[in-house]
Amino acid sequence: MYNSAMLTRLTVCLGIVLLLTGCRYREVEKDLTITDVHSGWYDVGVVDGQNKLVPSITLRLQNVSSEPIARVQINAVFRRVGEPEEWDAHFVRGIGPDGLAPGAKGEELVLRSDRGYLGPQSRLQMLQNKEFVDARVQIFGKHGSRNWVKIGEYTIDRQLLTE
């Protein structure tokens, strides 16, 4: 009985060790690159009787490693230029459970802030206003339980986006 219980515990422990060693976490900053970047100020429409513009970035992730990668999370942190505080953030699943093959590009990701500018003037006039402060976005990636790592940083282009 004693040997049977020990053998059972040893088998369970060995199974857990084998399972955990098969679950390796990827270094997204090395395995992925950001491509096809397009940014600008998205026209949300009229909010509370005023035009609203929010910073927006569209991008794709490309697997530059020699192995497929799956289940990657992306977080876009928006800040106004010259200000250290986070203005807003947008969290998405960057690569789903089906994964991304070596060399392949993922689906287009659209990351937008909920915060932006409201104004009574036209959208183009808003972008040209002397009080307008540009925005930048830092893109962070994460695989598994690893910490978030920065994989890109971009200034939002001062152009109007309608899509």
Side-chain angles (χ1 to χ4, degrees), residues 21-39:
T21 57
C23 298
R24 85 169 209 213
Y25 299 111
R26 305 288 293 275
E27 296 179 359
V28 293
E29 69 275 21
K30 294 179 182 174
D31 292 343
L32 297 173
T33 189
I34 295 174
T35 66
D36 306 330
V37 175
H38 184 68
S39 71

Side-chain angles (χ1 to χ4, degrees), residues 39-153:
S39 71
W41 291 84
Y42 179 70
D43 178 5
V44 175
V46 177
V47 176
D48 296 329
Q50 298 188 67
N51 292 319
K52 183 174 182 179
L53 298 178
V54 297
S56 175
I57 188 166
T58 303
L59 56 88
R60 292 181 190 272
L61 298 175
Q62 183 173 11
N63 182 353
V64 293
S65 76
S66 59
E67 298 177 30
I69 186 169
R71 293 180 171 88
V72 173
Q73 300 171 56
I74 297 295
N75 194 26
V77 177
F78 294 90
R79 290 183 170 83
R80 291 177 7 142
V81 170
E83 297 179 7
E85 305 86 36
E86 179 179 305
W87 200 23
D88 199 12
H90 187 143
F91 174 80
V92 296
R93 180 176 69 186
I95 302 173
D98 294 337
L100 190 60
K105 288 183 183 179
E107 298 284 324
E108 187 174 78
L109 301 176
V110 178
L111 305 161
R112 289 193 179 119
S113 171
D114 287 331
R115 294 188 69 186
Y117 294 114
L118 287 170
Q121 62 268 67
S122 76
R123 289 138 180 101
L124 288 176
Q125 288 174 327
M126 288 173 68
L127 291 174
Q128 296 167 353
N129 189 311
K130 65 180 179 169
E131 301 295 321
F132 189 91
V133 177
D134 289 308
R136 60 188 168 94
V137 60
Q138 293 176 314
I139 308 296
F140 294 88
K142 178 180 175 178
H143 184 263
S145 64
R146 283 195 72 221
N147 290 330
W148 290 99
V149 292
K150 186 166 75 169
I151 57 175
E153 184 168 355

